[in-house]
Amino acid sequence: MTTDAGFEVPQESRASDDTKSLNLRELWAAVYRSRFWIALIMGACIAGAVAYSLVATRLYKSKVSIEVRQEAEKVLGTEADREGAASKNDAERFLQTQLQIIRSRGVAQAVAENLGLYRGDAFLDTMKVKPAEAGTPNQSLQEIHREQVEQVLIAKVNVEYTGNTRIAELTFVSPDPRLSARVANAYADGFIRNNLARKFDSSSYALEFLRNQLSEAQQRLERAEQQALAYARRVRLVDPSNAAGSVSGAPQSLLSAQLVQLNQVYSGAVADRIAAEEKWHQTQALPDFRVPEVLANPAVQTLLEQRAQSAATYRQQLSTRQADYPTVVEAAAQGREIDRQVRAIATDVRQTVKSQYDVAVSREQTLARQIERLKGTTLDEQSQGIQLSILRREAETSRQQYDALLRRYNSLNAEAGVQTNNLSIVDKAEISEAPSWPRLPLILALAIFVGLLLSFACVVLREQLFDAVRVPDDITGRLRLPLLGSIPQTANIQAEIADPKSSISEAFNSVRTALALSEGGMPRTVLFTSSQAGEGKSSSCHALAFSIARLGKKVIIVDADLRRPNAHRLFGVGNQDGLTNVLAGFLPAAAAIQSPRGDGVDLLPAGEIPPNPSELVNSAQFMALINELTGRYDAVLIDSAPVLGIADAIILASEVEATVFVIEAGRNSVRGATNAIARLRGSSSSLAGALLTKYDPGRLGYGYGSDYRYEYRYQS
């Protein structure tokens, strides 16, 4: 946007209504940050692809087309129905099975025998395979040689089904184009012969196998029926419908109904015990005055009112009399007696909660014992019926198996000897003139694809390992903090702060405005802290002080970083006398305050580094000093130590009106910043927001033309 003063301040956060643009920008930024790694990966992949294309062996492919028809014998009159059912349900499975048969060891052996590939090592030499030189204790050299030939044939042959037709394309690849054509044609012939022989053998084997299976199934059926009848007579069971008629086997009896009802009561008892246990644990962990039952007790409320009155009386008496005065002693004793009574009531309340928990535990255990007794009785009642049901189901299963085998045997017996060939060659293989491999365009495409995958993995890995707070949206979206402003990267921040029209000054004017528009108006005391040292909190405190002073207000900077003070360096003054001397009582505050430039910004330097910084900032003297400065100045800006690993900032954050969390762009991880923010929030501090410093969108991959750009220019 363009203000009336004639300078442009574009938006500091990306548009939230364009999710796609947001994702593309983040992706581009991540890629830009890893651009050198991506270039290295892509260059290596392409160079490797070119080198492989130059040294790879030239391979030639020959193809033969085979028609694979679904089997449909037209002899018995029922084949049409079988064909229709097979076409709907098993056509794809049938065709895929045929393709796997082509690549079987039996077909490979037939091809090797037909072409004489077992004789000598000519075939293996042509295929660039080293022949075996010696056998093993279990295999002779000739057996190993035959196995090598078969493995090469199976590895180099490939068969594909086009999908829309029943044409299978069989291909063979080798360094010799003539050999490729011969082997491909031999494979087609061997597959057809193998198919015919397999059908004849399968019909004969199937009939003999089914004959044996029928005999065994009949014997199993007779045994199962006899066992079921004998068991029913032995245990005198006439109709065990309570077990056999139910899938789950749950009996409908008085004992089972009692067990179900008792289980429901037990579930309620468990819930009551859990609630009582949780209530007891909460009561144990809470102090007396945090227990809800204690606070709700009317007697406690009355005693608390009396204690408040007694404490007021005690303070009033103590303000005018000595501690050993009788009325003062009496008021103190009365307060102690009230405290004792409150503790006694709290103890009784805790004991009541404990008694409720003990009763719930005892009730749960009693119900559990009763359930266990009922379980044993119910299982004994069901066991006999369940066993008879198992025997009857076994008999029924045996009967179904026998009927299915009998139908299949009759069908095969009628169809034996009427199998027809369902394979035929459509196009024979021809000698290829051009090699099929290597294909440079395909290899380059694969190399580029692999390079892109590796580059993507590299980008993701780098982003996960270096997941930092980089842009203003990371503060609002990932850290869940209000964004007070983003400060551009600059080489000379002192000069930028001194120039009221610089981009740095305008950025801190925006921070000043954001603080002024916050709830409650401009805070009188503002604390500056960060996750770690060197993120720009001292410079930010310095710059905001001058921004507020330009409005004609009196501002003081208190350097409370008693471990690594830096505020005095920004002003170019000494650090001999300062905050530590004032807190130690060696020097009044007025004597330690400096006015280096006389422009409305005063400085209280840190002074000498003390051995106990945390104790000094947590002292009553420090808070008294802040209250004194608040009465003399319009704004008190406190430069504190970092949050992580040090307690100084946590202590100070609970005592000021607003805390500004300073984050250097691209330095802090999201987890580290989140931990620091959690520590600040744990101190019940009022976090006004975060300030992103040293922000350079071009270095982070977002480009200087993005909407994170912040510049100052005059309108022409």
Side-chain angles (χ1 to χ4, degrees), residues 249-328:
Q252 300 299 322
S253 64
L254 180 60
L255 286 176
S256 63
Q258 291 178 353
L259 182 60
V260 171
Q261 184 178 7
L262 196 59
N263 266 321
Q264 294 175 351
V265 176
Y266 178 72
S267 299
V270 172
D272 294 341
R273 191 267 303 164
I274 293 175
E277 183 178 6
E278 180 66 21
K279 184 176 180 181
W280 168 238
H281 290 333
Q282 291 180 355
T283 304
Q284 276 186 313
L286 294 174
D288 292 343
F289 293 104
R290 295 288 298 277
V291 178
E293 289 79 1
V294 175
L295 295 177
N297 191 292
V300 173
Q301 295 176 357
T302 302
L303 289 174
L304 291 178
E305 293 177 358
Q306 294 177 2
R307 188 179 68 172
Q309 295 174 358
S310 175
T313 303
Y314 176 75
R315 287 193 299 269
Q316 181 180 4
Q317 293 288 338
L318 190 63
S319 63
T320 57
R321 294 178 175 87
Q322 296 294 329
D324 55 353
Y325 195 78
T327 57
V328 176

Side-chain angles (χ1 to χ4, degrees), residues 118-148:
Y118 290 137
R119 297 190 297 269
D121 298 332
F123 174 71
L124 295 179
D125 293 338
T126 303
M127 299 302 295
K128 309 296 183 182
V129 176
K130 183 179 180 181
E133 298 179 355
T136 63
N138 298 326
Q139 286 182 311
S140 64
L141 182 60
Q142 183 179 3
E143 292 175 344
I144 296 177
H145 179 266
R146 292 174 64 91
E147 185 176 346
Q148 280 187 301

